[in-house]
Amino acid sequence: MPMFAAGSLAACTLTMLCAGGPAPVTPESSLTLTLHTADGAARAVQLVCDPDSGTHPKARDACEALEGADGDFERLAPKNQPCPMIYAPLDARAHGHWRGERVDFRTEYSNSCVADAESAGVFAF
C-alpha cells in the first residue's frame, strides 16, 4: 500500500507542475468613482478592472481608458466630442487602488459632457 500512496503523491505533484501551478495574482484594480453637483446631489459607481466589472455602465471602456493611462487620471486621453457650453459644475473623485497602488484623485468638470470627454469615459455615468 505505501507504493500506491507514493505514486499518487508523485502524480499529484507532476500534475501541478505540468499545469503551471497556481495562476499569478494580479494586484487589484478597484475604484469608487463619485460625481457631486453644486447643489449637493451625488452619483457613485464601482469600477473593477481585470476582469472588468462593477456598477459602472461602461466598465470595459473605462478600464481600457485607465489601462492606456497606466491608471493615472491626469494622463487619460480626452475623447473628441462636442459639449454644450452650459455651466453645471461637477466635483469628480476616484478613490481606491489601481494594480495595488493607492488612488486618490479629485478634479472639477464644467458639466457632465465635459466630464465624459476629458476623462475618456471614466466619469461617464
Side-chain angles (χ1 to χ4, degrees):
M1 188 104 161
M3 184 82 128
F4 180 75
S8 295
L9 179 60
C12 289
T13 302
L14 184 57
T15 300
M16 284 302 290
L17 290 174
C18 292
V25 176
T26 303
E28 182 178 331
S29 295
S30 177
L31 300 163
T32 300
L33 307 173
T34 58
L35 291 171
H36 297 266
T37 64
D39 65 2
R43 298 187 303 262
V45 296
Q46 189 69 24
L47 178 64
V48 179
C49 301
D50 300 321
D52 307 336
S53 63
T55 58
H56 193 289
K58 294 188 177 183
R60 183 177 183 166
D61 293 342
C63 288
E64 285 178 1
L66 283 165
E67 175 72 32
D70 198 27
D72 185 348
F73 281 77
E74 299 287 340
R75 293 180 42 214
L76 287 168
K79 294 194 292 186
N80 185 15
Q81 70 183 33
C83 288
M85 295 180 62
I86 298 170
Y87 187 66
L90 295 170
D91 179 53
R93 299 177 191 179
H95 180 73
H97 292 87
W98 177 261
R99 295 195 174 156
E101 296 294 318
R102 186 149 172 71
V103 172
D104 193 13
F105 173 79
R106 183 176 182 178
T107 194
E108 186 176 291
Y109 298 109
S110 58
N111 61 48
S112 60
C113 179
V114 173
D116 174 17
E118 290 186 7
S119 72
V122 174
F123 285 106
F125 57 89

